[in-house]
Amino acid sequence: MTTSAYPTTKDEWQKALSELPEVKEGDGKKIPAFFFAHGSPMLIWPKNKAPRPGPFGDMLKYQGPESPLADFLKDFGKVILEKYKPKALVVFSAHWEESGDMLVTDYGEENPLLYDYYGFEREFYEVTFSSKGDSDVANRVVDLLQKVMSKTNFGEARGAKP
């Protein structure tokens, strides 16, 4: 039994995921919003590469590609796609505000993978991930944000792979 308010074992998080509210088209309910802290490059640590010594290497146990975090994210993604069948996913970056303005970036048809870290081995900058953009969704996000924040606009595409 855990003392944490959050599920920390596979059984606990699978139970929590199974208890997410049902949402049916036309019932007026919305898919819940989910918050995840800034991602970790440790999730993509090459399996054939020895960890760095010390605390950095110890993080692989909790945040590496074969960690409980990686297992949870795989389970979470599968449940969300199967249970809610979302038409789009909107991601707010840790860098979503700048100089008092809110920026929304529309990369068009293909979203780049953003490398928001530095100082890692070459393999970390060779990772690829394909995801599609949707200008209609980006415009809808801007429209909704403008209703609650007066300084919302499209910004330049930033952070793309060099």
Side-chain angles (χ1 to χ4, degrees):
M1 184 75 181
T2 182
T3 58
S4 172
Y6 303 101
T8 58
T9 68
K10 190 169 188 83
D11 287 342
E12 290 174 345
W13 74 63
Q14 285 181 335
K15 181 179 185 297
L17 291 171
S18 73
E19 293 172 351
L20 287 172
E22 295 291 331
V23 175
K24 304 275 189 250
E25 193 166 337
D27 69 3
K29 295 180 183 176
K30 299 199 183 295
I31 296 173
F34 299 96
F35 171 81
F36 290 94
H38 199 282
S40 170
M42 302 304 284
L43 285 165
I44 59 171
W45 191 271
K47 292 179 184 176
N48 62 349
K49 188 172 198 64
R52 294 177 182 174
F56 187 86
D58 291 342
M59 287 179 14
L60 279 176
K61 288 186 276 187
Y62 306 102
Q63 297 181 9
E66 301 196 9
S67 68
L69 175 60
D71 288 344
F72 166 75
L73 292 172
K74 290 174 195 168
D75 288 348
F76 177 81
K78 193 180 306 180
V79 167
I80 296 305
L81 292 175
E82 290 172 1
K83 189 168 202 163
Y84 298 119
K85 297 173 182 45
K87 295 175 185 168
L89 299 176
V90 177
V91 176
F92 288 87
S93 162
H95 308 283
W96 64 282
E97 288 185 296
E98 187 171 296
S99 304
D101 292 345
M102 182 175 295
L103 303 175
V104 176
T105 305
D106 180 4
Y107 292 103
E109 285 296 310
E110 184 73 24
N111 294 317
L113 181 58
L114 305 179
Y115 295 86
D116 190 13
Y117 50 78
Y118 58 92
F120 287 89
E121 288 81 358
R122 175 184 46 80
E123 295 95 337
F124 284 82
Y125 305 95
E126 294 173 347
V127 171
T128 60
F129 180 81
S130 179
S131 68
K132 300 291 180 201
D134 187 318
S135 295
D136 291 339
V137 171
N139 284 313
R140 178 77 173 130
V141 169
V142 169
D143 290 344
L144 291 170
L145 290 173
Q146 284 177 333
K147 291 179 180 179
V148 295
M149 298 182 72
S150 61
K151 293 183 177 183
T152 303
N153 55 61
F154 277 100
E156 285 184 34
R158 316 177 319 160
K161 183 177 180 177

